[in-house]
Amino acid sequence: MTEEAIKFRDIDKIKFIVKDATGLDIMYAYDDLIFPEHGAFIIRFNDDDDKSVFCHFHKDCTEPEEKQILTSLGKTGQLNDLRIIKGTEFEMRQKDKEQFEIKFR
């Protein structure tokens, strides 16, 4: 029987980068996902490279907004030794009072 290693995720670093780059706070973190305020994007840790994360954009986020957010995150990330990689589009819906569903495209 093998035990899974617990993966360290530097949430404080992501909080700092998101706040510095966008002015947004983190409203929720779950497993490998970080949810900033307003839901325009989600940060997902890269399990294959701890020096990079993925930035997934909500399907309703416009291309100019995406570009501006990604550029700001990229600059702040670079200053903090973290590469921000554009991920896929996602949509989110409320399943019930306490649960929601995220679909990545």
Side-chain angles (χ1 to χ4, degrees):
M1 181 168 100
T2 61
E3 291 185 31
E4 275 188 49
I6 295 174
K7 186 89 172 154
F8 174 73
R9 303 190 195 282
D10 195 347
I11 294 172
D12 287 335
K13 184 183 227 179
I14 301 299
K15 283 181 180 180
F16 173 80
I17 291 170
V18 169
K19 183 68 169 184
D20 190 62
T22 66
L24 299 174
D25 289 317
I26 301 304
M27 63 178 211
Y28 188 70
Y30 179 78
D31 193 27
D32 64 342
L33 299 175
I34 305 290
F35 298 84
E37 295 175 301
H38 305 302
F41 64 97
I42 294 173
I43 300 292
R44 183 173 56 88
F45 286 96
N46 183 351
D47 285 337
D48 296 326
D49 178 10
D50 61 358
K51 297 284 186 187
S52 68
V53 294
F54 297 100
C55 181
H56 301 281
F57 288 94
H58 190 273
K59 67 180 181 76
D60 294 334
C61 189
T62 66
E63 192 174 324
E65 287 175 313
E66 280 185 24
K67 187 175 180 175
Q68 180 183 7
I69 291 168
L70 202 55
T71 299
S72 294
L73 288 172
K75 287 178 184 176
T76 304
Q78 187 175 24
L79 292 172
N80 290 276
D81 197 30
L82 187 71
R83 189 166 60 114
I84 312 295
I85 302 167
K86 183 177 180 184
T88 59
E89 196 175 75
F90 75 92
E91 60 182 302
M92 190 171 5
R93 72 174 185 87
Q94 192 81 28
K95 284 179 76 171
D96 57 38
K97 198 172 188 176
E98 296 180 12
Q99 294 181 340
F100 58 92
E101 178 180 61
I102 300 171
K103 287 186 181 180
F104 293 95
R105 297 179 180 196

